[in-house]
Amino acid sequence: MPETTPRGLRRLAYGGDYNPEQWPESIWQEDVRLMREAGVTMVSVGIFSWARLEPEPGAYDFGWLDRLLDLLHEHGIRADLGTPTVVPPAWFYRAHPDALPVTREGTRYAFGSRGAICHSSPAYRAAAANITEQLARRYGAHPALALWHVHNEYGVPVSACYCDTCAAHFRRWLDARYGSVDAVNDAWGTAFWGQHYTSYDQIDPPRATPTVGNPAQALDYRRFADATMRENFAMERDILHRLSPGVPVTTNFMTALSQCDSVDYWAWGREVDLVTNDHYLITDGRRTHVNLAMAADLTRSVAGGAPWLLLEHSTSGVNWQPRNPAKRPGEMARNSLAHIARGSEGAMFFQWRQSRRGAEKFHSAMVPHAGTDSRVWREVVQLGADLGALAELRGTRTVADAAMVWDWHSWWAQNLEWRPSEDHDARERADSFYETLYDRHLTVDFTHPEADLSAHPLVVVPALYLTTEAAGRNLRAYVENGGTLVVSYFSGIVDEHDAVQPGAYPGALRDVLGLTVEEWSPLGEGETVRITEQAGDGALTGDVWTESVVPRGAGTVWTYADGPAAGRPAVTRHRLGKGTAWYVSTRLVPPALDAVIGAACEDAGIAPRTDLPRDVEVVRRTGDSGTYLFALNHTAHDAKVPLDAPGTELLSGEPVAGHLAVPAGAVRVVRLA
């Protein structure tokens, strides 16, 4: 069986994408010297090198990669070796132009970027398998090899192709999934608008149509595109397992909801030997450290709670957003250690040396254009030393306090056309619920709606428009057995085929919530409603959405004071079995949402952390080597974090007890006694 940690790595992974083919070989010796100075333990190589490795069909140039891997091994640096299948060479596309993807509108993309791939193309699959096999045979036992890295960021920038090859592949996929055209008709509801099919040959991808097409067809095509990419990954992975036994195989995910929406990472997490992730701060006005924590928690959850690896982030600014600010002093280390606190076994960057040419020449790197006499380089060296001091926590696991239900299929379905309000956004709801939990200093596990929830005293459901019968039963059993559940509006509405659940809303969640909804009344742009507490004088403001809720066992906690649903329940609480289910029928944003989450936390027996200031993050990892407390101060003020046991601060080696002083912008890591 393959290992689940990089082979031969005895410390936390630290380094970045190394692209020496962009530089004269005379620089390589200087690079490895600087890597040693910075404490680099592993670099990712070969990811974009197909044209260099196979300059003509069947003609290979491995000499430069031989010398590079030998050089890395000589200096004690491990290699995360990529299969370069994200960037087929120009000669490949000249011979196989039909391997370039086609948009819904029928436009075929041109060569000259990355990831321009029709994943159904037989020619692409054959060429990808061939270069993967060549690499595996040559380097599968190389002493520098720690990890195989298949492709790069599947789903970005293209996941779905709409060409005729994909159409034929889609028909085969449908037959395997449904077994007959009649079953497809039933699942898709083709009786509507006269879309009935009598043979698979009549079915095409959901290409551009005069008005909205069939939503169930579009949803299945999202599934098909994701499954097709995963087939190609599995093809390469199986070659590597066969020819390079014992070496783990991964591909770099982009789990942040802000960065990729086309991949079902629950499914992908089961296919890799080690879950790895890329994360970049999104400068959209939100608190970037909260988005980072959310992405790290989601990645750990995709890994089933096991340690994972941050395979890319940036030392400073990126270059692909409208505005790309530099990270402030100390922010790079704080970002890196925040990922490690939440389960990563290291901190890797894109990239080692900043490019002089190409589309990402203004993307920051470990060795910036300014060279080693720069703040970025000095922080890179210091971070390497700090990670060296944390080697003992490898293999420990992050401790969570609550869980959030998330399902990519539901997100895909909710984002289809013609929904009740364009202002309702599943990602926004997930962000808001997560931010509320974060501000209560709760570490969050994410979970699939059909997964075991019993380990979590509190489970929140920010957006589960698509809810299977199995998921509905699972959530009900969770509450009956003593759990506390919080569900947001527009959840439980449709089944796996985007068909409305029979009966009143909220469909599959009616029983667990103890209510029905007669109708929705989405609000106009800028409109708000007041909701008032039944048992007190508290009032909150909602927007975007209201509902006519009819309690059927649930009690009313907050009521609409005005708006379309005035006088109706806005927030309800249902005692069911040993547990409690809450329902929020309007959009509440932090801090208003905190009032509901706070009440649910009381039901769940989760005490508030009033001893911690906002934006001082405290996370624990635990395992055979001990329990470790990470304290990250994202504020401009010094803070004190109470300790429930004495310990040793690992970055300084100093003993601590009682309270831990965390300077503004700093991170402290304590091994608790």
Side-chain angles (χ1 to χ4, degrees):
M1 290 291 293
E3 293 293 328
T4 58
T5 57
R7 190 180 65 168
L9 199 61
R10 301 290 177 257
R11 301 170 65 189
L12 294 174
Y14 185 54
D17 283 41
Y18 185 33
N19 298 295
E21 61 269 33
Q22 298 179 17
W23 304 93
E25 217 166 307
S26 58
I27 291 179
W28 296 5
Q29 289 287 345
E30 173 71 359
D31 279 333
V32 293
R33 184 188 69 78
L34 291 175
M35 289 177 190
R36 293 290 298 272
E37 180 181 333
V40 166
T41 60
M42 186 170 75
V43 292
S44 301
V45 297
I47 297 167
F48 301 105
S49 302
W50 195 343
R52 180 77 183 271
L53 292 167
E54 190 179 8
E56 298 293 340
Y60 305 102
D61 178 7
F62 292 118
W64 67 275
L65 188 53
D66 292 346
R67 296 189 295 277
L68 175 66
L69 293 177
D70 290 347
L71 181 64
L72 292 173
H73 178 61
E74 179 185 342
H75 288 81
I77 299 165
R78 311 295 294 165
D80 164 38
L81 182 55
T83 66
T85 50
V86 70
V87 283
W91 59 256
F92 170 80
Y93 286 120
R94 182 66 65 179
H96 305 284
D98 56 349
L100 287 162
V102 174
T103 68
R104 288 184 71 235
E105 294 73 27
T107 300
R108 190 177 295 277
Y109 285 117
F111 172 78
S113 181
R114 65 169 190 176
I117 296 164
C118 168
H119 282 276
S120 294
S121 165
Y124 169 75
R125 291 185 173 205
N130 177 68
I131 191 63
T132 298
E133 182 166 339
Q134 296 293 330
L135 288 165
R137 291 189 183 280
R138 192 171 189 93
Y139 301 113
H142 195 284
L145 181 63
L147 183 66
W148 284 106
H149 177 143
V150 170
H151 204 267
N152 183 73
E153 295 178 346
Y154 279 98
V156 179
V158 177
S159 59
C161 170
Y162 296 82
C163 71
D164 289 341
T165 300
C166 287
H169 190 187
F170 183 44
R171 294 169 193 135
R172 295 192 298 272
W173 182 87
L174 289 171
D175 189 41
R177 181 177 177 86
Y178 292 107
S180 71
V181 175
D182 286 343
V184 174
N185 283 316
D186 183 60
W188 289 3
T190 57
F192 185 78
W193 280 358
Q195 297 171 359
H196 185 79
Y197 299 104
T198 58
S199 74
Y200 284 115
D201 289 344
Q202 297 167 2
I203 300 175
D204 284 323
R207 295 167 175 150
T209 51
T211 185
V212 174
N214 187 316
Q217 178 189 19
L219 177 58
D220 264 350
Y221 205 74
R222 296 290 296 264
R223 292 170 171 144
F224 160 74
D226 177 58
T228 301
M229 292 188 294
R230 202 159 59 247
E231 285 177 13
N232 284 351
F233 166 79
M235 173 193 68
E236 294 189 42
R237 177 204 61 202
D238 292 348
I239 293 170
L240 297 169
H241 279 170
R242 175 169 54 85
L243 297 177
S244 183
V247 180
V249 180
T250 191
T251 185
N252 45 337
F253 295 167
M254 298 192 75
T255 63
L257 306 186
S258 54
Q259 292 178 273
C260 182
D261 66 355
S262 59
V263 174
D264 175 8
Y265 286 116
W266 293 126
W268 283 77
R270 296 189 292 268
E271 300 293 336
V272 297
D273 300 323
L274 169 68
V275 167
T276 63
N277 194 52
D278 297 351
H279 182 265
Y280 293 96
L281 300 184
I282 303 298
T283 54
D284 60 358
R286 309 183 197 207
R287 295 155 70 199
T288 56
H289 57 279
V290 180
N291 176 275
L292 184 157
M294 183 177 178
D297 281 346
L298 185 50
T299 307
R300 182 187 69 253
S301 302
V302 166
W308 55 279
L309 178 59
L310 175 66
L311 208 51
E312 285 185 28
H313 71 316
S314 66
T315 57
S316 191
V318 297
N319 71 320
W320 37 263
Q321 299 183 85
R323 296 166 189 84
N324 298 284
K327 291 186 178 180
R328 296 181 179 181
E331 189 175 4
M332 177 188 69
R334 201 163 62 249
N335 290 166
S336 301
L337 293 169
H339 284 288
I340 291 170
R342 294 176 185 272
S344 178
E345 295 284 81
M348 304 281 286
F349 294 92
F350 182 84
Q351 57 181 326
W352 165 251
R353 184 179 285 275
Q354 195 167 11
S355 299
R356 289 188 56 228
R357 298 174 175 84
E360 293 186 291
K361 57 183 172 289
F362 300 124
H363 189 297
S364 61
M366 298 176 78
V367 181
H369 291 312
T372 56
D373 186 15
S374 64
R375 176 182 65 85
V376 166
W377 174 252
R378 288 186 286 272
E379 291 192 10
V380 162
V381 173
Q382 182 59 54
L383 179 58
D386 288 345
L387 295 190
L390 301 180
E392 66 182 75
L393 59 78
R394 290 175 69 238
T396 59
R397 295 192 174 208
T398 300
V399 180
D401 305 297
M404 179 179 291
V405 168
W406 183 255
D407 180 33
W408 277 274
H409 292 236
S410 178
W411 193 20
W412 297 342
Q414 186 177 314
N415 284 345
L416 295 170
E417 298 165 293
W418 285 11
R419 297 301 183 240
S421 174
E422 66 177 12
D423 297 325
H424 174 45
D425 179 353
R427 179 199 157 192
E428 182 279 327
R429 285 292 76 200
D431 285 348
S432 289
F433 271 80
Y434 184 89
E435 185 175 356
T436 302
L437 296 170
Y438 179 95
D439 284 341
R440 286 188 157 261
H441 304 283
L442 300 178
T443 302
V444 176
D445 277 342
F446 285 79
T447 180
H448 187 274
E450 297 178 14
D452 181 13
L453 306 173
S454 60
H456 304 287
L458 174 67
V459 172
V460 300
V461 182
L464 195 62
Y465 162 76
L466 186 158
T467 308
T468 63
E469 288 186 14
R473 291 193 301 269
N474 190 46
L475 293 171
R476 178 182 175 118
Y478 166 73
V479 175
E480 288 176 329
N481 291 323
T484 300
L485 181 72
V486 182
V487 177
S488 187
Y489 64 90
F490 206 47
S491 294
I493 307 304
V494 300
D495 66 12
E496 61 268 34
H497 304 300
D498 198 47
V500 174
Q501 298 278 5
Y505 306 136
L509 302 180
R510 281 192 304 265
D511 293 343
V512 68
L513 296 174
L515 55 83
T516 58
V517 174
E518 290 185 353
E519 62 179 342
W520 305 310
S521 296
L523 298 176
E525 185 175 3
E527 282 189 272
T528 62
V529 291
R530 281 192 318 118
I531 66 173
T532 55
E533 195 171 6
Q534 294 288 100
D537 299 326
L540 305 174
T541 300
D543 64 4
V544 171
W545 193 274
T546 65
E547 295 182 344
S548 296
V549 173
V550 180
R552 302 190 186 276
T556 301
V557 184
W558 274 274
T559 302
Y560 288 107
D562 55 20
R568 296 269 196 160
V571 178
T572 61
R573 178 177 181 268
H574 185 217
R575 292 288 300 174
L576 181 66
K578 300 176 183 178
T580 307
W582 290 77
Y583 184 61
V584 186
S585 69
T586 186
R587 191 179 82 156
L588 300 176
V589 297
L593 185 57
D594 181 68
V596 178
I597 295 298
C601 282
E602 289 184 27
D603 281 346
I606 298 174
R609 291 296 306 269
T610 56
D611 52 354
L612 291 174
R614 189 174 192 253
D615 290 329
V616 174
E617 185 176 333
V618 176
V619 185
R620 292 175 186 247
R621 287 182 63 156
T622 189
D624 293 342
S625 60
T627 296
Y628 302 86
L629 182 145
F630 284 73
L632 304 99
N633 188 348
H634 299 285
T635 78
H637 307 284
D638 296 347
K640 286 188 175 181
V641 171
L643 297 175
D644 52 16
T648 302
E649 203 289 304
L650 296 180
L651 301 182
S652 65
E654 296 293 324
V656 291
H659 284 81
L660 173 67
V662 188
V667 180
R668 296 291 180 262
V669 185
V670 178
R671 184 205 311 117
L672 298 173

